[in-house]
Amino acid sequence: MSRILIVTGGSRGIGAAAARAAARDGWHVVLTYRSGKAEAQVVVDEIVRLGGTAEARYTDVAKEGDVAALFDHVTEQYGRLDGLVNNAGILPPVSCFEEIDLARWTRTFSINATGPFLCCRAAVGLMAKRHGGEGGSIVNVSSMAASLGAPNEFIDYAASKGAIETLTVGLSKEFGVDGIRVNAVRPGLIATEIHASAGDAARVERLASGVPLGRPGSAEETAEAIIWLLSDASSYVTGCLMPVSGGR
Ligand code: NAP
């Protein structure tokens, strides 16, 4: 049986690229979408056309019931989970700090930090040796914003990524003994639709010259780092926060 992987936010961007790369490497991919049902099905169809296996499930990662339903499905269908990529996330509009209201702060944290918490909690229940599991690998998608702070842009987003990084380090220490490795990637400026979703489609082009490698990264380049951290090739790596940022 293939190893079973959940990728949240697999309908587009980095999540879709990670789902495709994982299927190429033999994982059975359960990818989730929230609004992009048709886009998620396109990713599944591409994977199947290339000889892989995948399925798409609706999940709002900010909703405890949705996350429970996702993991119940995996438990009933496969009885195991080997990998989790916590990729789903939002980028709020560019704003100075004093204009961030509580509703926006709460929404950003619900999706970017509480979502990964809910998914990690459900995943360790299936993976941990103390619960009869066989271990596994979790990769959280953070951002360079966690250390840069995103002043004058989105400090709330940066703080939510700081939370996912602390979650990564803590889980790696608590569940190493259970055979679970927990790592994070820290993408820099990656050319996806997230910037247009935040109302700033020109952001990538505007900031690209400030990247030491002189260009934005792609979803596929980010996915390769995720796949390496998921795989046995990184078997002695845990608690790592890996920049995928062109040196930014
Ligand atoms: P994207 O193209 O906007 O894709 C975001 C994905 O997250 C979509 O599949 C979307 O699903 C899903 N999503 C959003 N809210 C969700 C929710 N409440 N529940 C479930 N799924 C939800 O973004 P991306 O650039 O690929 O970003 C992916 C991750 O990388 C995010 O965590 C982001 O913070 C991080 N990141 C990106 C960059 C960058 O420059 N692009 C840099 C650093 C970090 P639907 O479309 O189906 O709603």
Side-chain angles (χ1 to χ4, degrees):
M1 188 208 262
S2 298
R3 290 172 300 166
I4 311 298
L5 171 67
I6 292 174
V7 179
T8 67
S11 57
R12 65 187 208 192
I14 294 167
R20 287 193 202 94
R24 175 201 69 199
D25 288 357
W27 293 85
H28 172 76
V29 183
V30 182
L31 60 94
T32 77
Y33 61 89
R34 184 187 48 167
S35 58
K37 183 176 185 180
E39 291 88 343
Q41 192 55 48
V42 167
V43 178
V44 168
D45 292 345
E46 282 174 11
I47 287 172
V48 171
R49 197 168 56 242
L50 293 171
T53 62
E55 63 189 289
R57 305 280 304 180
Y58 169 82
T59 310
D60 183 337
V61 296
K63 295 191 174 148
E64 190 169 21
D66 280 13
V67 172
L70 171 68
F71 282 82
D72 284 351
H73 166 75
V74 167
T75 305
E76 283 159 22
Q77 287 294 311
Y78 311 108
R80 60 181 293 136
L81 180 69
D82 305 282
L84 166 67
V85 178
N86 272 311
N87 166 78
I90 56 159
L91 186 66
V94 168
S95 167
C96 65
F97 175 68
E98 289 172 279
E99 284 173 5
I100 297 173
D101 63 21
L102 182 58
R104 167 177 156 155
W105 177 276
T106 303
R107 176 174 147 75
T108 302
F109 267 73
S110 296
I111 297 169
N112 291 2
T114 306
F117 153 67
L118 293 170
C119 291
C120 283
R121 195 181 56 176
V124 300
L126 284 170
M127 292 174 171
K129 290 182 177 167
R130 75 182 80 171
H131 299 310
E134 295 178 20
S137 180
I138 296 174
V139 181
N140 293 323
V141 180
S142 178
S143 169
M144 287 308 293
S147 58
L148 297 172
N152 304 303
E153 284 197 304
F154 19 69
I155 289 178
D156 50 348
Y157 172 81
S160 72
K161 294 302 187 180
I164 203 176
E165 295 197 351
T166 304
L167 178 71
T168 301
V169 172
L171 279 179
S172 71
K173 293 179 176 168
E174 190 164 329
F175 285 93
V177 70
D178 284 289
I180 303 175
R181 296 186 299 108
V182 189
N183 293 289
V185 291
R186 313 175 98 197
L189 193 65
I190 310 298
T192 70
E193 293 174 49
I194 203 169
H195 308 284
S197 300
D200 191 3
R203 184 168 182 267
V204 169
E205 199 179 330
R206 193 173 64 246
L207 299 180
S209 63
V211 178
L213 284 186
R215 63 171 178 86
S218 69
E220 288 71 23
E221 289 174 303
T222 312
E224 289 304 326
I226 293 171
I227 294 308
W228 182 76
L229 288 170
L230 268 183
S231 76
D232 293 341
S234 62
S235 54
Y236 201 57
V237 179
T238 195
C240 163
L241 310 173
M242 180 192 283
V244 187
S245 64
R248 191 162 183 247

